[in-house]
Amino acid sequence: MSDAAILNGGTVNTGAVRAPAVRETGVPITPRNIRFMQALPQAATWLGGDIVATAVYNALSLTFPDGERMFMDSVRHYKDRVSGQLLQDANDFIAQEAIHTREHVSLNKVMEGANYPLDRIRAHIKNQIGIAEKLGPMVMLGATISLEHFTAMLGDSLLRNPSQLDGAPEDVKRLWLWHAFEETEHKAVAFDVFNAATANMADWRRYLIRVRAMLITTVDFIAHITFYTSLLLAADGMGRGKATFKTLWFLFGKPAFFRRGMRGYWSWYRPGFHPWQHDNRKLLESWRGRLFPN
Ligand SMILES: [Fe+2]
Ligand SMILES: [Fe+2]
């Protein structure tokens, strides 16, 4: 299958495993250079006084600056394999992630000065990304498309149930909703770049790469968010065992932040999967005017 076939769209049946379709939604990817943070909220309780919810969001936010840098690096590495609209989308993807990074760096200042083991958490995140970097650009791209599947699912969940952010200061709430919106806009870009970068591979091999990447990423992502959240809660005085239990309960029990957000998780393992098969364009449109009135 040629790059042109991949880039021009449509599904291509080349054998046992159907090659995925490219993005044909016409959703524009718009980098928005917005600075959200007005004032730093309370580090441990900014989400309506709920220390577990606040710690989960803080832990996620801590992973974004380095994580999104890896997303940008991996897509940038394969930019010479794409052209036309997908090249433009890749550039807009990189611009969006760069602004997300900047805003989460601002939000993360909320945790500076408190008793949190930020150096330990950041060193752990950098170490994880360093492992992917050592394994090469295709491993980084595999991790990127897998994590983009997570950010797309969690973003969809947040836009569908914004009450999850009830009690947060208005600027912090807008930051998370803006991030959720843009993660939805660009949810297929890294995936389409991956398809272009692997266009010369046998379909079964490409399928194996992304399934293996997702299996590893799923275990890592859940384990690490739980680990970082429990470290934050422990620094606020909770015992580590209780902190881990409460975190897992928040993620998978009630309100089931991950479980609820991961409804579309299994579709990844379909051979012909593409992120826009979950068509949530109407959801995006319902938010566009509210989030970006001008
Ligand atoms: Fe992002
Ligand atoms: Fe993203």
Side-chain angles (χ1 to χ4, degrees):
M1 181 175 16
S2 68
D3 281 21
I6 290 273
L7 294 174
N8 287 336
T11 52
V12 184
N13 196 336
T14 55
V17 179
R18 197 162 56 94
V22 296
R23 188 176 73 85
E24 293 175 299
T25 59
V27 173
I29 295 163
T30 311
R32 300 171 181 85
N33 191 4
I34 308 172
R35 290 180 190 272
F36 289 90
M37 298 305 295
Q38 306 290 328
L40 291 179
Q42 286 296 316
T45 55
W46 60 257
L47 189 34
D50 183 334
I51 57 169
V52 178
T54 305
V56 168
Y57 278 85
N58 280 345
L60 270 175
S61 189
L62 281 171
T63 67
F64 283 136
D66 285 311
E68 296 192 310
R69 227 166 271 142
M70 181 188 75
F71 300 172
M72 289 185 270
D73 288 346
S74 64
V75 166
R76 202 179 284 121
H77 181 87
Y78 288 104
K79 260 187 12 179
D80 61 350
R81 308 278 185 99
V82 300
S83 60
Q85 185 59 48
L86 183 51
L87 178 58
Q88 183 59 49
D89 287 353
N91 285 328
D92 290 334
F93 169 90
I94 290 167
Q96 283 190 333
E97 296 293 27
I99 303 168
H100 299 172
T101 293
R102 184 193 70 198
E103 289 308 293
H104 280 278
V105 166
S106 281
L107 175 60
N108 291 345
K109 288 194 181 122
V110 77
M111 288 172 271
E112 306 282 355
N115 197 25
Y116 296 122
L118 299 183
D119 289 345
R120 181 177 173 192
I121 293 173
R122 286 184 178 130
H124 192 272
I125 294 165
K126 279 189 199 306
N127 184 49
Q128 294 301 308
I129 290 169
I131 292 169
E133 283 170 347
K134 273 201 195 102
L135 291 170
M138 186 48 74
V139 170
M140 287 168 66
L141 189 59
T144 297
I145 58 173
S146 304
L147 287 164
E148 283 284 297
H149 190 51
F150 277 97
T151 56
M153 289 184 292
L154 294 172
D156 181 85
S157 171
L158 213 50
L159 294 175
R160 258 173 231 288
N161 305 292
S163 61
Q164 294 177 83
L165 290 166
D166 279 356
E170 206 48 41
D171 48 351
V172 181
K173 193 172 180 174
R174 279 193 64 226
L175 187 159
W176 282 100
L177 289 169
W178 156 82
H179 197 168
F181 185 95
E182 293 197 350
E183 286 303 316
T184 308
E185 272 186 331
H186 75 220
K187 66 178 176 176
V189 176
F191 194 93
D192 287 342
V193 170
F194 170 79
N195 278 343
T198 56
N200 294 327
M201 282 184 192
D203 289 339
W204 66 266
R205 209 173 140 217
R206 168 199 291 161
Y207 177 72
L208 213 64
I209 290 176
R210 71 174 180 82
V211 164
R212 188 178 54 192
M214 181 54 89
L215 290 171
I216 296 168
T217 300
T218 302
V219 174
D220 281 357
F221 182 67
I222 293 170
H224 295 151
I225 291 299
T226 305
F227 176 49
Y228 305 147
T229 304
S230 65
L231 284 179
L232 295 176
L233 287 170
D236 281 329
M238 198 181 281
R240 273 296 293 283
K242 187 176 175 189
T244 302
F245 175 79
K246 285 207 167 252
T247 303
L248 287 169
W249 184 251
F250 181 85
L251 297 178
F252 297 102
K254 205 172 170 200
F257 179 72
F258 273 2
R259 187 163 55 80
R260 185 154 71 163
M262 285 170 63
R263 284 205 179 118
Y265 173 79
W266 295 104
S267 57
W268 181 269
Y269 297 96
R270 273 203 312 263
F273 170 79
H274 185 270
W276 278 111
Q277 285 165 351
H278 173 55
D279 187 352
N280 51 359
R281 282 177 291 179
K282 282 201 180 112
L283 179 66
L284 268 188
E285 287 320 308
S286 72
W287 276 99
R288 191 182 299 280
R290 271 189 280 174
L291 281 172
F292 317 112
N294 302 315

